[in-house]
Amino acid sequence: MALISTLSMAQITVPHIPAKYIPSKKNLYKKDWIDFNKNGAKDIYEDPKAKIEDRIEDLLSKMTMDEKTCQMVTLYGYRRVLRDELPTEEWKSKLWKDGIGAIDEHLNAFQQWGAPPSDHPLVWPASRHAWAINEVQRFFIEETRLGIPVDFTNEGIRGIESFKATNFPTQLGLGHTWNRDLIRKVGRITGKEARLLGYTNVYAPILDVGRDQRWGRYEEVYGESPYLVAELGIQMVKGLQNNHQVAATAKHFVAYSNNKGAREGLSRVDPQMSPREVEMVHVYPFKRVIKEAGLLGVMSSYNDYDGFPIQGSHYWLTERLRNDMGFKGYVVSDSEAVEYLFTKHSTANDLKEAVRQSVEAGLNVRCTFRSPDSFVLPLRELVEEGSVSEATINDRVRDILRVKFMVGLFDNPYQTELKQADVEVESEEHKKIALQASQESIVLLKNEGNLLPLDINKVKRIAVVGPNANEKGFALMHYGPLGVDVVSVLEGITAKTSNKTEVVYTKGCDLVDANWPESEILPFPLSKEENAEIELAVENAKKSDVVIMALGGGERTCGENKSRSSLDLPGRQLNLLQAVYATGKPVILILINGRPLSINWADKYVPSIIEAWYPGSMGGKALADVIFGDYNPGGKLTVTFPKSVGQIPFNFPFKPASQVDGGKAMGLKGNMTRINGALYPFGHGLSYTSFKYSNFRLSSKQITDKQSLTVSFDITNTGSKAGDEVAQLYLRDLISSVTTFEKNLVGFERVHLKPGETKNISLQLRNEDMKLLNQDNKWVIEPGDFKIMVGASSENILLEDVFTVINPQNRIKKDNSSKYTDNISSSPISENAKYVMDGNRATFWKGKAGDYLNFSIPSPKEISNLIIEWGQIKSNPKFEIQLSSGGGQFLTVYSGQLTRANDMASFSFKSNTASDIRLQIISGEVEIKEVKY
């Protein structure tokens, strides 16, 4: 087939698409190999039976420097950089006559931010698209000297970015499923559809860990826990790279997601983290995904860290990524990362020096919206000058070729089953998984009075209100399928209630107002039109039995380069919500958004709140299933909802007491100075049924630092509906040489239970999960006591125990004094202090005037009651209960006098968050047998 000349879109003659693709130069395509260099002999690199490393070295030995440097650059696809949708005769005189490393986003329908998908005839249907990709590939195989195939790259964090493909919730929504098996299926489908369309490398998953809820790309993270991000990232990569159908390229390496004040300058400068936090939170997922899933691609980020741009850092791109983590794939730059060394970071004096720094640091492929010449030509000059050695170029090209060999580009460079693409891309089977993902991503935040689920037979009229009620754009943003059919919330409810219930819709307000975001800091009066629309929503609400409101965010408020200065509902949405609530009709609030929102007013007054994130093309159906009880929500939060941006940083995991504040009493005579606590904590999520945790068991109470631990327990569905529960396993190193997080997520499992059903859950605590980064920056397990906790959220701990790790060189069991819940001390110092919480009523501590007991609480708690069992007393002793919330200052919350010995009494006082409790003896003498709070 001859090369097709570039024509205007209107002039393109769409060819007949055969069921199978058969390239024209059949003499190159042998029975079991391809004669890429057209010499009639089977060279080592052309032999599918040869070892990959031998094939790489053979091909590398044949390549000129021009051919090598062409492998180190991306050519952006049609209408991004490339002018042509198909090869032309002119290509034979272009830079890529000597090959190209990758072609990105070619004919994937994306045009630019905010523009509709391309209607180019080669974009769709799937078979025609795959044929066009094959034709481009054919140029590089048949028309270049060595015939090195191109790696076709594309985005894919919510399904492969194409005109159509299976459309999943955004990655933040996928994280809220807590379902490893489901995430692996999402990856497998995304990778399979990508390969059917002709793509061989997918830019997914995102392994950034959420730290600042204002950040525009919060919608793209799995959550705030590095463990969760790693666990789901491993499954996504395994699914994408199933049978090496595609390479997965994870992003963004490294320290990308916590910039100062969440500000998104294009170079993402000045991440605000300590080196230890970078290692424990941000490096952790990459390290595990590379080692446990065989990740083939990494995108280098364009931020700096501690003054050093990642893109120019040999430490990060070579010493850590390759030498420490064992990465064997290739590094591709995030857009403009190379150029930013010169234009933003100013660590290079010109672009040529930026190229040198990047390549020396470890970059394999430059990827940005510029002509490939702008990278390749300076690189060739650097080689000629001796500023970059040929050995360095060879190392970089080896990695690129290795990935191309591993995904089969030298053995099966074409997607030959063209018609199969039409059958499988966005198939009904795949859409069932998408619906499951949408359903499982939904989190029930609040359900006061069991308003949900609605009984469709008892509701005659429903008012559907809000700017997100009839919106579909949340499923059609960049980095995923662009032109699929989307079910809106309104459509889902209407379809579910068809012929049974009347549904009336009012938008109520726009997502933002005309003065947004300035209106977040300066009040503007509602316009006449805004008032009228809110009044219409109120009238429709008054005439209805129930109101379903869909509020939140969207493409205008969240996404890349769209950080916020507030977490409140944007625009006039709170005005709308308050006006509708004032009608007295039951309100169900649905949030469709890409970040946690500080919905304090809604949480206080609205009875039922559902968090849907961006729930994908099936989102409207999934939400209708939840609202009317056809699906019982079981998602749990992987992020923290602050009450105010003033609390940020406020996230999970956190250091002991770092999220605890002082006073609790409000008002003129109070001691409270700021809002305390999370609106909704990490791990939170409700259900239409209830669950009981019981029968907690550890495989051993003592292990060596070379052993793992099995934790088992039972979960029983004690309610009347079948439902999912996400059991969460947390760990605390009780005594350590460096401070560790208050709770580390170290395990989880989503389990489905029928009413009355009990299942035993067995979770493995791995040796690695007990490690900390010590003072010498080495990951070690320090012998000592660990608290293991099982909960329905990070704050709802239901089962706990303590186990001990011993040094294998010393197997003598130590006194496990820390088995007690709290660290107990006394003044004067007495070994008997521990007796007051040993559960033995025959043992006691004895004190006199001036003595005290001190209870240090590892995880500060709300304290409002102390139960004390007294023994013998003398002289009617007086005592005080004192609390401290940090800083060593104790405040008296209760004063009393004893008149009876051998008595157990409860003492109540105003609730306060305490890190320490002190029981002070003021006069007389007492024996104290037991203390509980």
Side-chain angles (χ1 to χ4, degrees):
M1 188 176 292
L3 295 175
I4 297 177
S5 298
T6 304
L7 302 170
S8 70
M9 196 176 299
Q11 294 174 305
I12 288 177
T13 301
V14 177
H16 168 71
I17 304 300
K20 283 183 174 288
Y21 182 82
I22 302 174
S24 58
K25 289 189 178 180
K26 296 181 181 179
N27 59 311
L28 299 183
Y29 304 95
K30 312 301 181 180
K31 182 179 179 181
D32 59 355
W33 63 284
I34 299 171
D35 188 11
F36 289 105
N37 62 0
K38 299 96 178 162
N39 68 353
K42 184 191 289 186
D43 295 275
I44 295 173
Y45 86 92
E46 297 167 341
D47 185 359
K49 295 181 181 179
K51 294 180 180 178
I52 285 180
E53 293 305 316
D54 292 340
R55 298 177 79 179
I56 292 170
E57 294 306 317
D58 179 58
L59 177 54
L60 196 61
S61 70
K62 294 176 169 57
M63 296 173 71
T64 66
M65 184 55 64
D66 283 357
E67 289 166 335
K68 291 174 183 177
T69 52
C70 277
Q71 289 298 306
M72 296 179 64
V73 72
T74 286
L75 172 62
Y76 253 93
Y78 177 62
R79 297 194 73 180
R80 311 302 296 282
V81 171
L82 190 59
R83 292 188 306 161
D84 314 307
E85 57 276 276
L86 294 170
T88 70
E89 289 295 326
E90 190 181 16
W91 283 25
K92 294 180 180 180
S93 60
K94 292 285 189 180
L95 180 89
W96 51 92
K97 70 183 185 302
D98 295 313
I100 205 79
I103 296 180
D104 193 31
E105 297 191 27
H106 189 56
L107 295 170
N108 72 343
F110 182 78
Q111 299 192 94
Q112 62 184 25
W113 296 102
S118 170
D119 59 356
H120 191 286
L122 293 180
V123 163
W124 202 254
S127 56
R128 192 185 297 157
H129 179 280
W131 173 87
I133 295 288
N134 283 340
E135 282 295 284
V136 176
Q137 186 72 277
R138 188 167 66 84
F139 169 85
F140 292 96
I141 291 171
E142 296 181 0
E143 303 297 333
T144 64
R145 188 178 72 90
L146 294 175
I148 302 173
V150 170
D151 192 10
F152 283 95
T153 59
N154 197 6
E155 303 286 352
I157 61 171
R158 52 197 302 167
I160 192 66
E161 186 168 50
S162 173
F163 181 69
K164 289 195 176 183
T166 304
N167 184 297
F168 298 100
T170 194
Q171 192 169 296
L172 182 58
L174 291 173
H176 282 77
T177 69
W178 298 69
N179 188 331
R180 295 179 182 87
D181 180 64
L182 175 61
I183 300 303
R184 191 161 184 167
K185 288 178 181 177
V186 170
R188 181 184 58 77
I189 290 169
T190 301
K192 185 174 187 179
E193 294 187 354
R195 194 64 182 244
L196 284 166
L197 289 165
Y199 301 109
T200 51
N201 195 323
V202 178
Y203 290 162
I206 289 179
L207 297 181
D208 302 316
V209 180
R211 303 310 282 162
D212 190 328
Q213 294 87 339
R214 295 168 296 184
W215 188 43
R217 302 192 82 165
Y218 227 75
E219 64 185 41
E220 298 178 12
V221 304
Y222 283 127
E224 295 172 354
S225 162
Y227 177 85
L228 179 93
V229 171
E231 288 288 307
L232 299 186
I234 288 166
Q235 296 307 316
M236 185 68 174
V237 170
K238 286 183 175 180
L240 282 165
Q241 296 186 171
N242 180 53
N243 295 323
H244 287 119
Q245 59 186 357
V246 296
T249 294
K251 50 188 186 178
H252 307 83
F253 185 83
V254 64
Y256 179 79
S257 58
N258 195 24
N259 305 301
K260 192 171 186 178
R263 284 185 281 275
E264 290 191 87
L266 293 180
S267 52
R268 308 293 195 270
V269 292
D270 207 13
Q272 298 290 287
M273 295 167 282
S274 69
R276 191 170 298 278
E277 182 173 345
V278 169
E279 294 297 330
M280 293 187 297
V281 174
H282 298 271
V283 173
Y284 175 92
F286 281 97
K287 194 168 187 176
R288 283 197 58 198
V289 173
I290 288 167
K291 290 187 174 183
E292 297 178 42
L295 180 70
L296 291 177
V298 162
M299 180 177 286
S300 54
S301 58
Y302 41 56
N303 58 280
D304 71 332
Y305 173 65
D306 194 26
F308 298 95
I310 303 300
Q311 185 58 77
S313 171
H314 186 270
Y315 171 78
W316 284 112
L317 298 187
T318 297
E319 294 175 38
R320 297 302 309 280
L321 186 61
R322 291 184 170 90
N323 300 345
D324 177 28
M325 301 182 201
F327 178 65
K328 300 296 184 184
Y330 75 72
V331 177
V332 60
S333 67
D334 200 352
S335 295
E336 294 292 277
V338 174
E339 290 72 16
Y340 283 165
L341 297 179
F342 165 49
T343 62
K344 303 289 185 186
H345 297 298
S346 298
T347 55
N349 61 359
D350 57 22
L351 182 56
K352 183 175 174 180
E353 172 60 14
V355 171
R356 187 197 67 78
Q357 290 181 11
S358 297
V359 172
E360 290 286 349
L363 178 69
N364 298 100
V365 175
R366 193 285 300 266
C367 175
T368 193
F369 304 97
R370 296 175 183 239
S371 164
D373 306 57
S374 62
F375 179 84
V376 171
L377 297 183
L379 180 57
R380 289 174 182 172
E381 289 181 11
L382 290 163
V383 174
E384 290 173 7
E385 297 168 1
S387 300
V388 174
S389 70
E390 184 171 3
T392 297
I393 298 296
N394 288 343
D395 281 345
R396 302 298 174 261
V397 175
R398 280 189 184 96
D399 297 331
I400 300 164
L401 296 177
R402 184 178 298 109
V403 173
K404 291 187 175 185
F405 277 114
M406 291 185 74
V407 299
L409 275 170
F410 284 88
D411 304 322
N412 299 288
Y414 303 113
Q415 200 296 82
T416 57
E417 303 299 322
L418 299 179
K419 290 301 181 184
Q420 196 63 25
D422 293 330
V423 173
E424 293 197 54
V425 175
E426 204 193 14
S427 67
E428 290 303 315
E429 179 185 357
H430 290 178
K431 286 198 287 187
K432 288 179 182 177
I433 303 301
L435 175 60
Q436 179 187 352
S438 296
Q439 292 170 330
E440 292 194 15
S441 70
I442 293 170
V443 182
L444 182 61
L445 296 177
K446 182 183 178 184
N447 194 26
E448 190 176 273
N450 295 320
L451 174 59
L452 289 172
L454 294 180
D455 186 340
I456 200 169
N457 296 311
K458 295 181 179 179
V459 180
K460 302 303 180 184
R461 194 172 193 264
I462 299 173
V464 178
V465 179
N468 274 332
N470 201 29
E471 177 59 46
K472 300 184 178 184
F474 60 79
L476 302 174
M477 290 181 281
H478 197 20
Y479 303 138
L482 302 166
V484 298
D485 294 329
V486 178
V487 180
S488 70
V489 173
L490 177 62
E491 289 173 341
I493 293 170
T494 301
K496 182 72 69 173
T497 60
S498 179
N499 301 320
K500 294 183 178 180
T501 302
E502 181 185 359
V503 176
V504 58
Y505 162 70
T506 322
K507 186 175 184 180
C509 68
D510 290 319
L511 199 66
V512 300
D513 61 81
N515 296 292
W516 192 84
E518 188 180 10
S519 56
E520 293 187 337
I521 60 172
L522 289 174
F524 291 87
L526 274 71
S527 68
K528 182 178 179 181
E529 293 76 16
E530 288 172 333
N531 269 313
E533 185 66 14
I534 290 175
E535 288 173 4
L536 179 59
V538 167
E539 288 305 309
N540 283 329
K542 288 178 179 178
K543 299 173 184 176
S544 303
D545 300 314
V546 66
V547 184
I548 300 173
M549 300 190 70
L551 307 178
E555 190 173 10
R556 176 66 180 87
T557 67
C558 196
E560 191 169 1
N561 301 316
K562 295 177 182 177
S563 292
R564 287 188 64 191
S565 51
S566 170
L567 294 180
D568 297 337
L569 286 168
R572 305 304 193 184
Q573 295 185 56
L574 182 58
N575 301 88
L576 174 65
L577 177 61
Q578 291 173 332
V580 170
Y581 174 82
T583 65
K585 295 302 175 79
V587 174
I588 297 163
L589 173 60
I590 299 171
L591 295 173
I592 296 178
N593 48 290
R595 62 163 63 84
L597 296 176
S598 298
I599 51 164
N600 298 289
W601 191 92
D603 176 69
K604 186 169 184 177
Y605 295 105
V606 176
S608 293
I609 305 174
I610 297 169
E611 176 57 79
W613 308 113
Y614 294 141
S617 62
M618 307 296 285
K621 182 181 188 319
L623 282 163
D625 289 342
V626 166
I627 289 168
F628 294 100
D630 295 317
Y631 183 82
N632 187 351
K636 300 273 191 172
L637 293 182
T638 66
V639 294
T640 303
F641 277 61
K643 293 177 181 176
S644 165
V645 293
Q647 295 174 291
I648 293 174
F650 196 79
N651 44 38
F652 178 92
F654 50 85
K655 292 292 183 70
S658 64
Q659 296 191 179
V660 176
D661 289 302
K664 293 292 181 182
M666 295 188 292
L668 294 174
K669 297 181 180 181
N671 62 354
M672 188 175 181
T673 59
R674 62 178 293 167
I675 297 299
N676 300 328
L679 185 61
Y680 305 112
F682 179 92
H684 171 74
L686 305 178
S687 172
Y688 295 154
T689 190
S690 56
F691 300 97
K692 178 184 177 182
Y693 288 67
S694 62
N695 202 18
F696 191 44
R697 301 178 301 281
L698 305 183
S699 59
S700 176
K701 293 279 284 184
Q702 180 175 285
I703 60 174
T704 73
D705 58 4
K706 306 298 181 185
Q707 295 176 308
S708 59
L709 184 77
T710 301
V711 180
S712 62
F713 50 94
D714 294 339
I715 300 180
T716 302
N717 184 341
T718 55
S720 59
K721 299 180 185 294
D724 290 3
E725 173 68 338
V726 178
Q728 301 157 45
L729 185 68
Y730 296 95
L731 184 71
R732 171 77 186 275
D733 191 341
L734 291 176
I735 304 294
S736 52
S737 62
V738 296
T739 58
T740 58
F741 293 122
E742 188 169 295
K743 295 186 184 80
N744 274 304
L745 181 71
V746 291
F748 60 86
E749 185 168 332
R750 183 166 183 147
V751 58
H752 182 77
L753 293 168
K754 299 174 183 176
E757 182 181 9
T758 298
K759 284 186 179 178
N760 179 254
I761 306 299
S762 182
L763 299 177
Q764 193 79 8
L765 181 67
R766 308 175 316 149
N767 175 274
E768 291 80 3
D769 298 329
M770 293 174 273
K771 290 183 177 179
L772 58 75
L773 191 63
N774 70 8
Q775 298 173 74
D776 298 321
N777 284 323
K778 293 181 179 179
W779 287 96
V780 298
I781 300 176
E782 293 183 343
D785 294 331
F786 291 78
K787 181 186 284 188
I788 192 79
M789 298 160 277
V790 172
S793 83
S794 62
E795 292 190 4
N796 186 16
I797 301 301
L798 301 168
L799 305 169
E800 62 181 53
D801 203 345
V802 174
F803 69 92
T804 304
V805 174
I806 64 170
N807 188 315
Q809 305 301 318
N810 181 11
R811 295 181 178 274
I812 300 174
K813 185 175 181 180
K814 68 177 184 177
D815 176 25
N816 188 13
S817 60
S818 61
K819 66 185 178 181
Y820 308 118
T821 303
D822 304 284
N823 184 17
I824 310 167
S825 61
S826 65
S827 178
I829 297 173
S830 170
E831 285 293 319
N832 293 344
K834 63 185 180 182
Y835 292 151
V836 302
M837 295 191 82
D838 66 353
N840 184 354
R841 299 173 66 185
T843 60
F844 58 85
W845 171 82
K846 189 173 182 179
K848 61 180 184 303
D851 296 349
Y852 63 79
L853 286 169
N854 202 88
F855 306 88
S856 180
I857 307 171
S859 300
K861 301 174 182 177
E862 290 280 331
I863 305 296
S864 60
N865 178 269
L866 206 64
I867 299 173
I868 305 173
E869 184 173 359
W870 308 95
Q872 296 299 314
I873 63 172
K874 289 184 179 179
S875 305
N876 294 331
K878 295 180 180 179
F879 69 96
E880 289 183 356
I881 298 172
Q882 302 169 352
L883 300 182
S884 173
S885 58
Q889 181 180 9
F890 284 84
L891 300 176
T892 300
V893 294
Y894 186 93
S895 298
Q897 183 171 2
L898 296 177
T899 57
R900 292 196 305 175
N902 298 307
D903 184 38
M904 179 180 287
S906 177
F907 305 96
S908 297
F909 41 85
K910 193 170 185 178
S911 176
N912 278 279
T913 299
S915 60
D916 295 87
I917 304 173
R918 180 171 291 178
L919 183 55
Q920 178 84 51
I921 310 304
I922 305 300
S923 65
E925 295 184 14
V926 298
E927 293 177 355
I928 299 178
K929 296 180 177 181
E930 291 292 313
V931 177
K932 296 180 181 180
Y933 57 83

